Each structure stands twice: as C-alpha cells, then as structure tokens.
C-alpha cells in the first residue's frame, strides 16, 4: 500500500536500495521552474518551492510541541513522481 501503482514497486525499491545520498532539486535541461538565485542556468522543480511554502504555512521553523508544524507534519501521504 505504500507504493502506488504497485507495478512500480520493484523500481522504487531498487532505487532506494541503491542509496539516497543526494537529491538534486534543480536542472539546467529545462527552463520552466523557479529560478535559482545566483545561478541563471538552473531552475528548481516547482514541487520543492511548494514544499517550502507548505512548511512555512505551518509556522516552520517553530516545531515546538503543540505547534501547527508538530500537529500536521509530516503529512500522512507524500506523492512523488518521476521527472
């Protein structure tokens, strides 16, 4: 139930077993996205910008017990797609 569609489970498990040392959030191979400050050649994926907006809407960096961030983060469901 953790990975959907089930037909992608082996692919995801294999990728994770290979190690998650780094996650690139920017690219130079396309121009749609959020510009990276100080680097005109790179744009960030829009999902990373959205993620930071979700976190700040919950009051991040206030993670004190009882805060909105404490109550709602992490979310019960995260969706990730291939690029």
């Amino acid at each position: 139930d953790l990975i959907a569609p089930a037909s992608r489970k082996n692919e995801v498990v294999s990728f994770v077993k290979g190690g998650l040392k780094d996650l690139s959030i920017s690219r130079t191979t396309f121009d749609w996205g959020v510009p990276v400050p100080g680097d005109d050649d790179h744009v960030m994926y829009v999902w990373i910008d959205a993620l930071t907006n979700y976190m700040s809407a919950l009051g991040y960096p206030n993670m004190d017990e009882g805060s909105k961030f404490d109550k709602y983060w992490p979310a019960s469901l995260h969706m990730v797609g291939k690029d």
Side-chain angles (χ1 to χ4, degrees):
D1 293 339
L2 180 66
I3 299 170
S7 61
R8 294 290 185 186
K9 182 177 180 179
N10 288 341
E11 179 182 357
V12 171
V13 169
S14 176
F15 180 81
V16 171
K17 281 183 178 179
L20 300 175
K21 298 175 185 142
D22 192 11
L23 173 65
S24 176
I25 62 165
S26 71
R27 293 285 188 268
T28 58
T29 55
F30 53 80
D31 57 8
W32 57 269
V34 180
V36 173
D39 192 334
D40 294 336
D41 294 331
H42 279 259
V43 292
M44 289 183 283
Y45 288 115
V46 294
W47 58 261
I48 197 69
D49 181 57
L51 177 63
T52 59
N53 286 326
Y54 301 150
M55 292 173 70
S56 63
L58 295 175
Y60 185 85
N62 177 13
M63 299 183 295
D64 296 337
E65 187 173 332
S67 68
K68 286 182 181 178
F69 191 88
D70 178 56
K71 181 177 181 180
Y72 295 109
W73 199 268
S76 58
L77 173 71
H78 288 271
M79 297 182 70
V80 179
K82 291 176 65 172
D83 75 6

